[in-house]
Amino acid sequence: MSDKFDVIVIGAGPGGYVAAIRAAQLGLKTACVEKFKGQDGNLALGGTCLNVGCIPSKALLDSTWKYHEAKDGLAVHGISTGDVKMDVPAMIGRKNTIIKNLTGGIAGLFKANGVTTLEGHGKVLANRQVEVTGTDGSAKVYEAANIIIAAGSQPIDIPPAPVDQQVIVDSTGALEFQAAPGKLGVIGAGVIGLELGSVWSRLGSEVTVIEAQDKFLTTVDEQVSKEALKVLTKQGLDIRLGARLTATEVKGEQVVVTFADANGEQQMTFDKLIVAVGRRPETKNLLATDSGVNLDERGFIFVDDHCATSVPGVYAIGDVVRGPMLAHKASEEGVMVAERIAGQKPQVNYDLIPGVIYTHPEIAGVGKTEQQLKAEGVAVNVGVFPFAASGRAMAANDTTGFVKIIADATTDRVLGVHAIGPSAAELVQQGAIAMEFGSSAEDIGMMVFSHPTLSETVKEAALAVNGAAIHVANRKKR
Ligand code: FAD
Ligand code: AMP
């Protein structure tokens, strides 16, 4: 194999593998370096997202929701199920099969597109060279006209809760429980904590979520986060806000957790504790001291709007750089960089990256929140339409939540679309499409939507912006 490539990508997560495939499609001789080993001990492509992130967590969320529905949600439809049981190891096995199929799929795509896989740990040297060290310790240096760093992120460890993957686990360990813990503690009420807390709560765990911040889901639109707190609490998650973990002590098969909140110091005992306090960029042994690639003050690789680092020809994308730690953001950056290397001029619209929390109901948003726009002094009109008024939601017995559309008060241009409710992720994506084309609320309101659909809540919320929703009493008539 020649040691020279047009592009070497480090990391085969949704940032790196997408960048590698796009670069190869554009005729660039491309290699991708990856070191992650799957549960069978073989190299597994796909990164955090496919192996221990988006896909496995959604597999468990879907399985446990079906269980919950079968157990408690079908009687209303006249369906009696008898004694519904969950075989947790079978559920985990199904999740692992999905991972294997998808990661194998990436290997197939690499082959089909002519991407060379280099197995081992990649390190960026000076002069656009990449050293790849195999598991046997042997190292080989490759030359690249361009390097794309897509090394991703790792769970943050906090000293008061050292992860042993037995009693105190991170998100990866929480995807592997072979039985629902009796009492489950979750540190951090972020996206990952809430999703994994929901999985095990649906299987009968008594879940307590300990969150340091006083406010719930601070990056989400406040009206949505308030509803989310109400709904998730009603589902049985005991969410303690303003509660900071200070110590843990593993005692046999349990862990005693100490935290401080408004009531002073408290202690609780759990059978398992999930530490979900965020993720840090993975830059360990990634950059040689003379590589010239700079980090920012938070330890992320410093890049400009086009993901160029401080070294010409070296780019970085995904979780290892600024911006939301989301798979779709990583992938879009990967495509942008590959196309820029090939001489094209694409951009990523960082203002329109949707975010989703896959609880039930889903929580999703794109664009600005009402609190952000208020802080910026932008005058807005807001339209809200509840699922309780949607015929389709009623037919499905899934009426919690609402769609909210925020538009500029002067131009009517849509500035944010937020939702909590059934299929919120898919509905908010409609808002993202509209916003990408500079749509006004009136534009959305004038479109024909199929009846009965959940999508009609988007139309009605858009109509509500100007006081013209049909199926609710509007606060302001026009
Ligand atoms: P990663 O996916 O982390 O991939 C980086 C890859 O680089 C890894 O395979 C790693 O082994 C490899 N690597 C690192 N350093 C080296 C090196 N030096 N040499 C060789 N290889 C190296 N995001 C969503 O958008 N939607 C979701 O629903 C979602 N759910 C999530 C659920 C969980 C439990 C977790 C943990 C994350 C979730 N995320 C979700 C976040 C998402 O997984 C990440 O944003 C995404 O994977 C980032 O992609 P990436 O390519 O930047 O990095
Ligand atoms: P995210 O970054 O979305 O994954 O969320 C992680 C959450 O963990 C944030 O809301 C943090 O406030 C919270 N967090 C971080 N450290 C602690 C701690 N020691 N105790 C409780 N919550 C914490």
Side-chain angles (χ1 to χ4, degrees), residues 60-77:
L60 300 190
L61 280 158
D62 283 340
S63 292
T64 55
W65 185 251
K66 283 185 194 295
Y67 168 75
H68 167 80
E69 281 277 274
K71 197 163 138 292
D72 299 321
L74 297 184
V76 70
H77 298 278

Side-chain angles (χ1 to χ4, degrees), residues 158 160 187-192 210-213 243-245 276-279:
I158 46 172
I187 309 299
V191 178
I192 294 173
I210 294 168
E211 166 57 53
Q213 298 196 69
R244 179 169 290 278
L245 174 87
V277 295
R279 297 179 63 82

Side-chain angles (χ1 to χ4, degrees), residues 250-329:
V250 175
K251 285 188 174 168
E253 299 200 332
Q254 290 189 313
V255 53
V256 180
V257 167
T258 308
F259 61 94
D261 67 8
N263 301 318
E265 194 170 277
Q266 322 244 4
Q267 285 199 325
M268 288 183 85
T269 301
F270 300 110
D271 299 301
K272 300 271 184 201
L273 182 68
I274 304 174
V275 181
V277 295
R279 297 179 63 82
R280 60 166 175 79
E282 173 60 297
T283 52
K284 206 166 118 199
N285 197 24
L286 178 67
L287 306 168
T289 43
D290 59 351
S291 72
V293 176
N294 292 333
L295 302 184
D296 68 16
E297 65 288 353
R298 293 171 61 217
F300 291 86
I301 294 180
F302 179 76
V303 288
D304 67 11
D305 284 353
H306 300 130
C307 294
T309 70
S310 38
V311 179
V314 180
Y315 303 83
I317 60 172
D319 281 10
V320 83
V321 303
R322 84 290 172 260
M325 286 182 159
L326 292 169
H328 41 286
K329 177 261 194 186

